[in-house]
Amino acid sequence: MDAQQHLHQRLVDHLHRIYHQVRPDLDTNQLAEQLVGAMALTQGARDIDPYTNRWDAADAIVITYGDTLLSENEAPLHTLKQFLDTHLKGVVNSVHILPFCPYSSDDGFSVMDYSSVNPALGDWSHLRNIANDYRLMADLVINHCSARSLWFDNFINQKDPGKDYFYTAPPTQDTRAVVRPRTNPLLQAVQTAAGEQHVWCTFSFDQVDLDFRNPEVLLQFVRIIRQYLDNGVKIFRLDAIAFLWKTPGTPCINLPETHEVVRLLRALIEQAAPDAIIITETNIPNQENLTYFGNNNEAHWIYNFSLPPLLVHALLTGDSKHLKRWMMTMPPARNGTTYFNFIASHDGIGLRPVEGLLSQDELITLTDTLIRFGGRISWRTGADGERHPYEANIALYDALQGTVNGPDTFNLARFICAHTIMLGLEGVPAFYIHSLLATSNDYQRMEHSGHNRAINRHQWQANKLTAALADAQSQHAQSFAALTRLIKLRAKQPAFHPNATQFTLHLGDALFAFWRQSLDRQQNIFCISNLSNQPQQLATSSVNLVSNDPWQDLIAGEAFDAEAELITLAPYQTIWLANQ
């Protein structure tokens, strides 16, 4: 069987597993050919090694909205490109531009038209211009689309395309087992040309879930993927993918058909662009999240969703116990896959990923502290019908302004410590732009929008940001200078390859430490952070440095005496002890 035949058979197998129960008469051979045509795979199939790492220590990503930076009489995407070139060239090599299509709500995640760029941001040429110099990451908002989209308008009027694109269910259906990320009712009644229908709305009534039982919906998204590839997108973030497939009587999350759709999309995308990457956005408990690696045939990267709440909790309490325990349970990612590390995003600090990791009392302490620091809590409805915290909405800089005992003077040091820890971990580091800039809570934007998440979605006037970064005494300039220096330092260390060896060290609860070793076993780095607001001393012997190697603290840029008896770390200080 040649590569083309093998690809065809692989697609047919995926399609059979997706549709055999809901569409037993589906011609999967014909649909496989349609998918190949939609992806424009005209050059023949390729042999793809699923164990190839398409990344290294130099990879770092900035996450931003297309209009986070604004200049008068200028397309925001052009302003963004100028900022990247001026301030981040040689620091990050990739940029995640959050949804850039026309939308009706949720700052882009309620897409009205997947085929165009929101004219308020710019156009496809602006995105291609960014993609020419940075690896471009984009959201494939695949679970739902806007209730104001043409597709949904056609659903209302029972016209193509769209009349059968949306998932409906009778209001009598028992949905108590369905896992909910929100508190709004799941079903929304709408009047259509075919009578009253109840559409499925996982997130909001303006975000109506698509029905992937209809193969035409799958075909539409493959065409969208092809258009994104043609315009420079290399990293595809599958938004809310865990909720994609629904089966009555089940939790309607992480179903086998959902995983099969991810495998199918990967098979198509890697044939069109072997250097492309798929990342699944699955804000769910840790063990469920790990399943999206599949068998090196689903996501290349998965979000390390447990990292933000556990790291924030550790820094607020000065206790590394839960962070260490979690890290010890994390399996090393196989070659060809890795973790996507972040500690802040356009959303809040997810709290579902710490289910089973923090006790109820510890979770309450965490949320109460973040509320005292100006944050808000967003809720979901649990299977018990009760409200449960879903995420904490707060700017990371403000979240780290103190400890569980209240604000203190270590805000910046604690903030830098959090990112230094993230930079050392196995995986690819990603920085929300407001973390790079140490932006504080935007209460005005939150109140104006009526949505908690807007607290961390500030828009900067470009000239004001330039002035802030030029002011050496501002939190923005100090944070930006420290973090960009650390990112560039990390990029030079083979032991910080995303797939390099990592072991957790046990040096007491106030210290968080781990060891990294390069793939060729030549470089060793001991990453040790003081999570407390008090100096901590550590016996050098407990780190087990090889005494005949020349050691240095990479961050301080100083030689380190491996014969010294004690290491003293200032509050929130991190050291990277490297042998070369």
Side-chain angles (χ1 to χ4, degrees):
M1 184 182 295
D2 64 22
Q4 190 69 32
Q5 292 171 322
H6 183 268
L7 173 62
H8 177 84
Q9 188 57 51
R10 183 179 172 189
L11 296 177
V12 168
D13 290 345
H14 288 311
L15 292 169
H16 173 73
R17 287 190 285 269
I18 294 167
Y19 292 110
H20 73 281
Q21 289 188 330
V22 296
R23 298 289 297 271
D25 298 328
L26 180 68
D27 186 341
T28 52
N29 281 289
Q30 181 183 27
L31 182 55
E33 292 173 0
Q34 291 175 309
L35 291 170
V36 168
M39 191 60 87
L41 301 179
T42 59
Q43 303 302 313
R46 319 168 196 250
D47 290 321
I48 306 293
D49 180 3
Y51 300 100
T52 297
N53 293 325
R54 304 169 190 179
W55 43 82
D56 57 31
D59 283 286
I61 299 172
V62 62
I63 304 166
T64 182
Y65 279 101
D67 59 355
T68 294
L69 308 177
L70 301 173
S71 289
E72 191 173 356
N73 300 321
E74 188 171 270
L77 288 173
H78 179 74
T79 305
L80 172 61
K81 178 62 162 59
Q82 289 184 313
F83 177 83
L84 292 170
D85 290 347
T86 302
H87 296 285
L88 290 174
K89 195 80 167 180
V91 179
V92 302
N93 63 0
S94 307
V95 56
H96 175 197
I97 301 178
L98 291 155
F100 45 70
C101 298
Y103 69 95
S104 55
S105 65
D106 198 18
D107 284 343
F109 286 93
S110 184
V111 177
M112 296 172 63
D113 176 12
Y114 291 89
S115 66
S116 63
V117 175
N118 182 355
L121 301 178
D123 55 36
W124 287 112
S125 69
H126 292 106
L127 288 172
R128 290 193 298 271
N129 193 32
I130 292 172
N132 286 337
D133 295 316
Y134 304 88
R135 189 164 51 178
L136 180 59
M137 176 171 165
D139 295 272
L140 191 67
V141 185
I142 193 170
N143 176 71
H144 51 263
C145 77
S146 171
R148 292 174 55 191
S149 64
L150 174 63
W151 287 353
F152 194 71
D153 189 58
N154 284 347
F155 170 79
I156 296 294
N157 294 294
Q158 289 294 286
K159 297 179 180 179
D160 287 322
K163 70 177 183 180
D164 49 6
Y165 278 17
F166 295 90
Y167 195 94
T168 62
T172 56
Q173 181 172 310
D174 186 354
T175 60
R176 287 175 295 178
V178 175
V179 172
R180 300 300 319 284
R182 298 290 186 272
T183 56
N184 59 282
L186 180 60
L187 300 177
Q188 170 74 351
V190 294
Q191 295 297 325
T192 77
E196 185 176 74
Q197 300 281 328
H198 290 81
V199 292
W200 192 284
C201 302
T202 296
F203 293 94
S204 77
F205 292 153
D206 189 48
Q207 295 165 296
V208 188
D209 285 38
L210 293 154
D211 189 354
F212 274 80
R213 294 174 302 179
N214 178 0
E216 184 58 34
V217 175
L218 176 64
L219 271 168
Q220 286 281 19
F221 273 92
V222 171
R223 296 181 187 113
I224 292 163
I225 290 169
R226 179 70 258 181
Q227 183 181 19
Y228 283 18
L229 284 168
D230 290 341
N231 284 284
V233 174
K234 289 296 185 184
I235 306 174
F236 290 85
R237 177 185 183 268
L238 305 187
D239 178 66
I241 186 68
F243 300 96
L244 185 79
W245 197 271
K246 290 86 173 167
T247 298
T250 74
C252 298
I253 188 171
N254 305 324
L255 296 186
E257 293 87 351
T258 293
H259 286 278
E260 207 64 50
V261 169
V262 176
R263 294 175 194 136
L264 173 71
L265 294 179
R266 172 164 170 165
L268 290 165
I269 289 171
E270 66 187 5
Q271 286 295 322
D275 58 343
I277 291 168
I278 290 176
I279 176 170
T280 47
E281 188 265 333
T282 47
N283 190 359
I284 51 180
N286 190 51
Q287 292 305 309
E288 298 173 28
N289 189 34
L290 289 169
T291 64
Y292 283 87
F293 277 144
N295 188 23
N296 272 59
N297 59 353
E298 295 188 36
H300 298 92
W301 298 349
I302 64 171
Y303 276 83
N304 220 339
F305 273 114
S306 295
L307 177 62
L310 286 175
L311 183 51
V312 169
H313 176 268
L315 286 163
L316 294 180
T317 61
D319 187 344
S320 67
K321 178 168 67 267
H322 292 301
L323 187 60
K324 284 189 294 190
R325 186 178 298 153
W326 161 76
M327 198 157 95
M328 290 173 62
T329 67
M330 293 294 285
R334 295 178 180 180
N335 283 331
T337 66
T338 197
Y339 297 105
F340 185 84
N341 293 327
F342 72 109
I343 45 178
S345 74
H346 62 290
D347 292 336
I349 299 169
L351 299 175
R352 282 213 71 204
V354 294
E355 292 176 8
L357 300 175
L358 296 180
S359 70
Q360 186 64 23
D361 287 344
E362 288 165 332
L363 182 58
I364 291 172
T365 297
L366 173 61
T367 55
D368 284 352
T369 302
L370 295 177
I371 290 171
R372 290 205 314 273
F373 291 168
R376 303 291 189 272
I377 303 299
S378 294
W379 303 86
R380 68 181 183 90
T381 301
D384 56 5
E386 298 296 324
R387 290 199 322 164
H388 297 271
Y390 181 73
E391 66 183 16
N393 303 110
I394 189 170
L396 186 65
Y397 189 79
D398 287 349
L400 296 175
Q401 65 185 265
T403 69
V404 292
N405 296 317
D408 58 25
T409 60
F410 293 109
N411 195 165
L412 182 63
R414 193 178 291 110
F415 183 74
I416 299 301
C417 179
H419 289 92
T420 311
I421 290 171
M422 181 189 74
L423 279 166
L425 292 172
E426 174 190 359
V428 174
F431 293 81
Y432 187 39
I433 193 167
H434 290 304
S435 291
L436 281 176
L437 301 173
T439 308
S440 292
N441 292 332
D442 189 335
Y443 298 108
Q444 183 178 4
R445 185 171 175 84
M446 180 183 67
E447 291 167 5
H448 177 74
S449 70
H451 298 290
N452 287 346
R453 286 179 166 179
I455 198 171
N456 195 27
R457 298 178 179 180
H458 180 71
Q459 289 181 300
W460 278 95
Q461 292 296 324
N463 59 344
K464 291 185 178 180
L465 177 58
T466 298
L469 293 178
D471 178 2
Q473 300 305 309
S474 73
Q475 67 192 48
H476 314 292
Q478 292 180 42
S479 170
F480 191 77
L483 294 181
T484 53
R485 173 180 173 270
L486 287 167
I487 296 169
K488 289 189 285 187
L489 180 62
R490 176 192 184 275
K492 300 174 183 177
Q493 314 309 320
F496 284 150
H497 185 286
N499 293 85
T501 299
Q502 175 176 287
F503 281 105
T504 308
L505 305 178
H506 298 273
L507 304 176
D509 289 344
L511 299 176
F512 180 64
F514 51 95
W515 167 67
R516 301 295 308 278
Q517 185 181 65
S518 60
L519 296 173
D520 63 6
R521 301 186 178 183
Q522 295 302 301
Q523 187 186 42
N524 297 280
I525 302 178
F526 291 88
C527 306
I528 307 172
S529 297
N530 179 1
L531 302 185
S532 77
N533 56 10
Q534 299 295 321
Q536 298 292 324
Q537 288 192 326
L538 173 68
T540 305
S541 58
S542 63
V543 184
N544 196 27
L545 301 177
V546 178
S547 60
N548 59 351
D549 280 353
W551 292 89
Q552 63 172 319
D553 177 3
L554 295 174
I555 295 175
E558 298 174 351
F560 180 80
D561 182 5
E563 301 293 335
E565 292 185 3
L566 292 174
I567 304 171
T568 300
L569 284 86
Y572 306 106
Q573 180 185 0
T574 296
I575 57 175
W576 287 345
L577 299 181
N579 64 339
Q580 57 173 263

